[in-house]
Amino acid sequence: TSPMWDTGRSGHYLTPRKKDFRAGWPEVYESRHGKSGGLVEIFATAFESYPILAHALIAQTHKNWRLILEHDGEPPKGYKDLLPKDPRIVFTFSKEREQNYGHAKRARYVGNLENSKADFVLITNHDNYYAPAFLAEAVAALDDDDNGCIAAYCDCVHSYIQHKVLPAKPARGFIDCGAVVFKRAEVAGVAWQSMEHSADWFWFDAINKNRGGFRRWKKIEGVHFVHN
């Protein structure tokens, strides 16, 4: 059996719903962090293609987020103009291309998490899409401390399997870094482990070994994430 908690639609971890939740998106979750629900900091790497991530974040029902988008090398002319004009979006780029799946950038970001002011963190890519309720659902799950939850994750539609649904579970090849929101304080100090393609899984495994195991992760219901 899985060591996860699957919260389910009726679980008290989820955002408050209207009587007929099919009539619209979940209402904004009011957590112990106040009406803002806590700051979610999103770090994403980019290279040339359309930054759909930024537009998906604009549509989130959870509004307290900050995106740090780092392009690999100098971006094409006009690339920044593709981003929504929003003060929550910080765009930067490296002087030269690093060409290592973005892992060097992630390693630097993770190495500085202890200095971040965010409550939660999500590491993803510029060409990933999120359903509007994703951050609200994740924050709602993470906000309940009864079981010491440190991570909330969801199923996704993944490009590596012809854009079919990938039922997420904590195993290599079955979970993508972009599907998981963490409590920042719990993962700060756990270094990025590798520069190879599956480096996100090695980081997950290090978190597992240093922070009490995957039993502290919760799965939220639904396919909230589309990869690439």
Side-chain angles (χ1 to χ4, degrees):
T1 59
S2 171
M4 303 303 123
W5 295 292
D6 191 334
T7 57
R9 279 289 170 188
S10 61
H12 68 281
Y13 300 119
L14 298 185
T15 55
R17 306 255 177 197
K18 298 175 182 178
K19 289 183 179 179
D20 181 3
F21 66 83
R22 292 165 296 185
W25 295 107
E27 298 168 6
V28 174
Y29 182 75
E30 184 170 352
S31 74
R32 63 185 175 83
H33 296 282
K35 290 184 178 180
S36 69
L39 174 61
V40 182
E41 187 169 84
I42 301 104
F43 178 78
T45 57
F47 183 68
E48 295 190 350
S49 59
Y50 191 78
I52 188 65
L53 168 67
H55 298 272
L57 291 175
I58 292 292
Q60 292 296 302
T61 59
H62 179 91
K63 301 300 183 183
N64 192 12
W65 54 263
R66 177 176 184 258
L67 170 63
I68 302 172
L69 182 64
E70 184 174 356
H71 194 275
D72 191 22
E74 186 172 350
K77 184 178 180 180
Y79 187 83
K80 189 175 180 180
D81 295 333
L82 298 175
L83 298 170
K85 291 178 172 57
D86 190 292
R88 295 171 294 181
I89 298 173
V90 178
F91 180 71
T92 185
F93 57 90
S94 55
K95 292 182 179 180
E96 297 180 359
R97 286 203 64 199
E98 294 177 295
Q99 303 185 59
N100 50 20
Y101 309 107
H103 293 321
K105 294 173 175 58
R106 296 185 187 101
R108 290 192 293 270
Y109 173 75
V110 167
N112 197 43
L113 276 178
E114 291 176 314
N115 298 318
S116 172
K117 302 298 183 183
D119 298 293
F120 311 105
V121 295
L122 167 65
I123 297 176
T124 187
N125 289 322
H126 73 297
D127 53 359
N128 290 338
Y129 170 82
Y130 293 92
F134 175 62
L135 292 183
E137 297 275 11
V139 167
L142 288 163
D143 195 61
D144 184 279
D145 285 333
D146 291 348
N147 294 307
C149 176
I150 67 168
Y153 70 100
C154 67
D155 293 338
C156 73
V157 172
H158 209 287
S159 64
Y160 291 179
I161 54 172
Q162 293 78 50
H163 283 101
K164 297 176 182 176
V165 174
L166 176 66
K169 61 181 180 180
R172 186 174 180 179
F174 288 90
I175 193 164
D176 188 277
C177 197
V180 190
V181 178
F182 292 98
K183 284 184 178 176
R184 180 203 57 82
E186 293 285 353
V187 297
V190 181
W192 199 258
Q193 303 291 306
S194 170
M195 294 294 132
E196 66 177 87
H197 188 263
S198 299
D200 49 353
W201 168 253
F202 295 120
W203 188 52
F204 290 170
D205 197 39
I207 292 168
N208 171 41
K209 292 174 181 175
N210 287 278
R211 299 293 188 265
F214 287 123
R215 62 182 180 79
R216 300 184 67 192
W217 293 35
K218 291 179 185 174
K219 186 174 184 179
I220 57 177
E221 184 181 339
V223 180
H224 293 273
F225 165 45
V226 179
H227 179 263
N228 294 157

